[in-house]
Amino acid sequence: MKSYYELKHLLFKREQWKNIEGIIGKIDKLYMLAEQGCTSEVHKIITRKGCYLLKSSFEEKYTEWLKAEAQVLKKLNSQRQIAVPKYYGFFEEKLSSHLLMSFEDGIILTSALEQAKSQSEKKSLIRSFGHFLKQLHAISEMDLLNQNVDWLESQLIKAEFYVKHGQTEGSSQLLENLKANKPLPVEQTVIHGDCTTDNVLVINGEACLFIDVAGMTIGDPRYDESLAIRSFVNDEEYKKAFYEGYKRYKVSKKEFHYFDEGLYEFF
Ligand SMILES: Nc1ncnc2c1ncn2[C@@H]1O[C@H](COP(=O)(O)OP(=O)(O)O)[C@@H](O)[C@H]1O
Ligand SMILES: [Mg+2]
């Protein structure tokens, strides 16, 4: 575990810490979270004013995602329709970027499912996830987010860029396949954009907040739906529980594979 002072020298110029303390007050404690994501390093910061989360990225692709996440959170600060952390600031250094947001209570759904003591507790968590996602997909317009963009088209363009620059494990052959076999369009809605069980926080058995929202935009809800069910797609009972909450469109097997084993490979 890095100490505050190690981190202080590693990541930031002294002025950056001053900037942060200017926003959230003097830092009393700072420590690395036990639970880390795949693209970032997360630290909890405690000051007299409250608890904050500092999310840091160090690779080019991931610092771009972090910037996108910062932009989304900043825009969403002014609304209450979608539950996400509160934005406090974004700091760019030469070799790293850092997003400061509110620290939110709860645990990620993946952990909640691991800790659940019974089948019915698991199903109830999954049902709640479905319901929570349904509410997000019920929003078809939001001035704050990008409208009038063909989301799938723009994701395929991004995927092509990653292939060209060796920044993805997805192959160019898979990409050609995806371009040639696009599913028939459905109405675009607000989407999370990386809606796995890792990116939803649960409190008291209820899914209640989205994190990791770099991809939140107006897009194809089938992408979220496919990523949401990917960890239990072969379990009919869990799937049933999800759709009891989601009560919306049900992806076909073909659509599921287009998104989960297809498009998702590039991101
Ligand atoms: N605002 C937050 N409040 C509390 N914990 C958070 C918050 N954001 C992220 N976390 C924790 O940090 C971990 C990594 O965050 P995440 O944004 O998913 O990173 P990555 O993009 O690397 O997947 C999460 O699994 C969660 O445990
Ligand atoms: Mg994540």
Side-chain angles (χ1 to χ4, degrees), residues 35 37-40 42 53 55 85 101-104 108 199 212:
E35 216 164 53
C38 306
T39 72
S40 65
V42 280
L53 184 112
K55 178 170 174 180
M101 65 182 102
S102 55
F103 185 91
E104 299 288 339
I108 56 169
N199 293 329
D212 210 356

Side-chain angles (χ1 to χ4, degrees), residues 133-198:
L133 189 58
K134 179 180 148 225
Q135 289 173 323
L136 184 74
H137 291 171
I139 312 171
S140 58
E141 277 178 41
M142 186 170 245
D143 291 342
L144 297 168
L145 299 170
N146 255 358
Q147 201 90 35
N148 302 325
V149 174
D150 180 337
W151 176 84
L152 181 53
E153 196 54 44
S154 70
Q155 292 307 100
L156 291 169
I157 291 169
K158 262 186 222 163
E160 180 141 35
F161 178 89
Y162 293 148
V163 170
K164 274 196 185 137
H165 294 82
Q167 292 181 343
T168 174
E169 281 164 22
S171 69
S172 53
Q173 198 192 333
L174 175 60
L175 182 60
E176 289 313 310
N177 244 317
L178 295 178
K179 283 196 212 160
N181 296 295
K182 283 202 242 172
L184 289 174
V186 294
E187 194 201 340
Q188 300 201 118
T189 68
V190 173
I191 62 166
H192 177 281
D194 188 9
C195 197
T196 66
T197 54
D198 286 342

Side-chain angles (χ1 to χ4, degrees), residues 32-33 36 41 68 113 120 129 146 155 175 184 237:
M32 195 183 251
L33 288 187
Q36 294 285 321
E41 229 175 82
L113 287 168
S120 72
F129 181 28
N146 255 358
Q155 292 307 100
L175 182 60
L184 289 174
E237 292 238 339

